[in-house]
Amino acid sequence: MERVRFAPSPTGYLHIGGVRTALFNWLWARKRQSQGGGGFVLRIEDTDRERSTQASVDVILDSLRWLGLDWDEGPGVGGPSGPYTQMERLPIYKEYADLLIAKSKAYRCYCTKEELDAQRAALKARDPKAQFRYPGTCRGRTDAPALPHVVRLLVPETGSVRYVDKVFGEIVTPNAAQQDFVLLRSDGVPLYNFGAVVDDTSMGITLVARGRDHMVNTPPQIMIYEALDRPPPAFAHLPMMLAPNGEKLSKRHGAVSVTEYRDQGYSPRAVLNYLARFGWSHGDQEVFSLDELVAAFDWEHCNKSDGKFDAKKFLAINHEHLKTPRLTSDAEYAARTQPFVAARGLDVGVASIETVVPLIRERAVTFVDAADRLDFVFRDPPAIDAAAATKFLVPASAPLLRQLAAVLEPVEPWIAAPLEAAVNAWLPGTGLPMKDIAQPARVALTGRTASPGLFDVIAVLGRTRVLARLRAAADSIG
RNA sequence: GGCCCCAUCGUCUAGCGGUUAGGACACCGGCCUCUCACGUCGGUAACACGGGUUCAAUUCCCGUUGGGGUCACCA
């Protein structure tokens, strides 16, 4: 059984790059699950007590839930390998550290941070280019567990660590590049590499997939597995998602937290679709449902080179998902749009919205955009755009709007085709082209110069409101 | 600087020795048309450079250049 995990640090919002890591793991777990066995574990790595907060844990869990990335084990759902929060696992790390010390694979170090900082500074002063490595001061020192100490791994001076990355292939790193790094801090809290290894091995993780920025952590982690006499999991590193200018993607480059995209009216599956296609491909296919992603995902087609985030393409993918009923049903579309309609001060139920989704499906690029385009349907009287009125609600159009109202009034049934037929029958007598009547009518009915097709608008609004709006507009012209 | 990684249109990518180097987004035109979209047709646009290997390199190897990651009692 393949077991993967996502192990975020609760030090802020869930970053879009983090979502991609979670997604790839999740996709793999779900794919394996469909093939017989797969598990997705969520673990909170909160050992950085300075920056970790419960609020952040909540945001991360909410974000994952919104995205639909459910976990089989972890916070909220439990599981046999808990607890799933590192600060609740301190005894386990101590147990593993003691084991390593007993096996002489690790040792207690009594050097203080101040002493080490001083050594680092001294070296830097002597040779600015030199790289400080812990000199192994406490390697042979008499053990005194009662004294304050950290636990360091005894790293071999020679040799190298080799592993085969699922996306990068064979990676060889000389041991000389490592030092006797710290496993456990003096307060008993593990450092990242040790905590990750102890958790991954004790939770039965078989594949670790994470960002390429973690690739440098893999050799030391493998050393820990070896010291523990535990088989290391497989590793897969994902290329990084950079900002358009090649820098690390951060707040100053625009929205990077999942919640922002949620609030901007993105579809969670569009977010996942864009992220999945970033660093991974499946022939020429660009648009995927979640099921298609699960079925198609593999490590072989993961890319090795870093990429740059493209907000425009992201938006285009979102538009694609909103356009396609197969990817976003009317019901879901309405449910996701409703909060944004409500935010505009319109008290409208999901059911009412659902009936008009077809009107704006091809046009709206986000659910926020959808709410905006639907405003005229639910606001009565409609908000008339001043510029639109100045341009089209001119004296000459007043009689036309009244005539149009008269032409439409008796139409039966009140649906697009006969309504359009009625107007087409009337039009020749006016000697005007359709656009000369359509634009003033559009502004009168929707308040804007751009809207869904005029006859769809007329049909949806209903006889009463159409006649009222046309006549009100004509009256307003004076 | 040490160690590690990467390199196809502006961007995301297909390609796994022989292709008119394909798709998508973006951009620019045409068509459709009651507006805006959608749709559709077409266009501009890429193998970083230098050596090898080979009958043949975008593809394999080496180097150069460029870019990135990381060097903590952060993760």
Side-chain angles (χ1 to χ4, degrees):
Chain A
M1 156 126 158
E2 186 92 282
R3 282 167 66 82
V4 298
R5 45 72 158 186
F6 177 55
S9 290
T11 56
Y13 50 83
L14 181 55
H15 192 276
I16 202 86
V19 174
R20 192 172 63 121
T21 305
L23 171 64
F24 280 42
N25 277 290
W26 184 89
L27 287 174
W28 188 240
R30 292 293 168 260
K31 177 169 183 164
R32 289 301 213 152
Q33 205 162 44
S34 73
Q35 296 171 335
F40 179 60
V41 177
L42 178 62
R43 181 172 76 225
I44 301 299
E45 305 208 331
D46 59 346
T47 55
D48 183 345
R49 291 141 100 192
E50 309 281 298
R51 298 189 298 155
S52 298
T53 64
Q54 182 56 43
S56 183
V57 172
D58 295 340
V59 171
I60 290 169
L61 300 190
D62 282 350
S63 297
L64 289 172
R65 288 193 191 105
W66 177 73
L67 289 162
L69 299 180
D70 55 336
W71 51 99
D72 305 310
E73 293 174 32
V77 304
S81 307
Y84 295 92
T85 295
Q86 289 193 318
M87 287 308 287
E88 294 170 18
R89 298 172 63 81
L90 263 24
I92 303 175
Y93 307 122
K94 176 164 177 20
E95 180 189 323
Y96 276 78
D98 286 344
L99 179 69
L100 287 176
I101 293 168
K103 293 167 69 169
S104 298
K105 296 289 178 65
Y107 60 90
R108 295 188 177 84
C109 168
Y110 305 89
C111 299
T112 64
K113 183 162 191 345
E114 290 66 36
E115 288 168 355
L116 261 16
D117 284 345
Q119 288 176 33
R120 229 185 302 270
L123 178 71
K124 192 102 180 168
R126 225 177 307 131
D127 180 0
K129 277 185 263 199
Q131 173 60 47
F132 178 78
R133 293 174 72 241
Y134 176 69
T137 316
C138 297
R139 274 191 178 187
R141 188 165 159 166
T142 316
D143 211 11
L147 265 37
H149 63 270
V150 300
V151 176
R152 288 179 185 273
L153 188 75
L154 189 59
V155 174
E157 302 279 359
T158 58
S160 56
V161 172
R162 174 189 170 281
Y163 72 98
V164 179
D165 191 284
K166 304 222 26 124
V167 349
F168 285 95
E170 182 181 59
I171 305 291
V172 181
T173 308
N175 289 163
Q178 310 296 341
Q179 58 178 324
D180 287 356
F181 56 89
V182 175
L183 265 21
L184 218 50
R185 298 196 287 212
S186 48
D187 58 4
V189 177
L191 242 42
Y192 173 71
N193 279 331
F194 189 57
V197 168
V198 169
D199 289 345
D200 286 338
T201 195
S202 61
M203 292 179 179
I205 300 302
T206 56
L207 169 65
V208 171
R210 68 230 305 197
R212 189 175 61 79
D213 50 335
H214 279 290
M215 201 150 51
V216 72
N217 287 319
T218 305
Q221 290 190 4
I222 289 176
M223 287 177 174
I224 299 174
Y225 281 102
E226 286 173 350
L228 248 22
D229 283 315
R230 295 276 202 142
F235 290 94
H237 289 95
L238 274 18
M240 316 223 21
M241 185 160 66
L242 274 18
N245 61 2
E247 290 175 9
K248 207 164 198 165
L249 192 55
S250 66
K251 284 178 291 278
R252 59 181 296 272
H253 304 290
V256 288
S257 88
V258 195
T259 50
E260 286 176 90
Y261 287 101
R262 181 192 62 200
D263 297 345
Q264 285 177 20
Y266 278 66
S267 155
R269 266 160 287 108
V271 173
L272 298 181
N273 188 159
Y274 176 74
L275 260 18
R277 272 290 285 100
F278 196 105
W280 172 82
S281 61
H282 187 61
D284 286 340
Q285 189 172 352
E286 300 282 350
V287 180
F288 296 80
S289 69
L290 210 45
D291 286 344
E292 289 171 335
L293 280 179
V294 170
F297 183 76
D298 60 10
W299 298 106
E300 290 68 36
H301 292 86
C302 283
N303 238 122
K304 294 193 276 205
S305 46
D306 296 340
K308 294 171 186 169
F309 178 79
D310 184 348
K312 285 218 178 107
K313 179 139 190 176
F314 191 3
L315 220 211
I317 291 291
N318 193 61
H319 190 191
E320 204 61 48
H321 276 255
L322 298 215
K323 270 193 316 212
T324 318
R326 178 178 73 86
L327 300 172
T328 311
S329 68
D330 282 359
E332 180 190 350
Y333 199 119
R336 294 200 186 279
T337 302
Q338 197 277 335
F340 299 120
V341 170
R344 304 177 73 87
L346 299 168
D347 182 23
V348 185
V350 175
S352 306
I353 297 174
E354 186 173 341
T355 62
V356 292
V357 165
L359 280 192
I360 43 99
R361 235 191 212 291
E362 293 185 331
R363 298 174 168 82
V365 163
T366 64
F367 293 122
V368 167
D369 187 25
D372 177 55
R373 288 168 187 274
L374 252 18
D375 192 275
F376 76 90
V377 178
F378 305 114
R379 192 182 303 280
D380 216 29
I384 308 284
D385 177 69
T390 323
K391 185 165 181 193
F392 293 107
L393 298 185
V394 294
S397 50
L400 284 172
L401 293 172
R402 289 200 177 87
Q403 285 177 51
L404 176 61
V407 166
L408 295 172
E409 190 158 18
V411 174
E412 214 47 81
W414 192 266
I415 57 176
L419 287 163
E420 182 164 12
V423 171
N424 278 327
W426 161 64
L427 219 44
T430 66
L432 295 171
M434 177 68 91
K435 70 170 162 36
D436 282 9
I437 185 65
Q439 282 306 78
R442 189 187 313 284
V443 174
L445 296 172
T446 71
R448 308 182 184 189
T449 56
S451 80
L454 186 61
F455 298 100
D456 289 328
V457 167
I458 292 172
V460 155
L461 250 21
R463 194 183 322 257
T464 310
R465 284 194 293 172
V466 167
L467 300 181
R469 288 185 187 191
L470 288 175
R471 285 165 180 152
D475 291 347
S476 77
I477 294 169

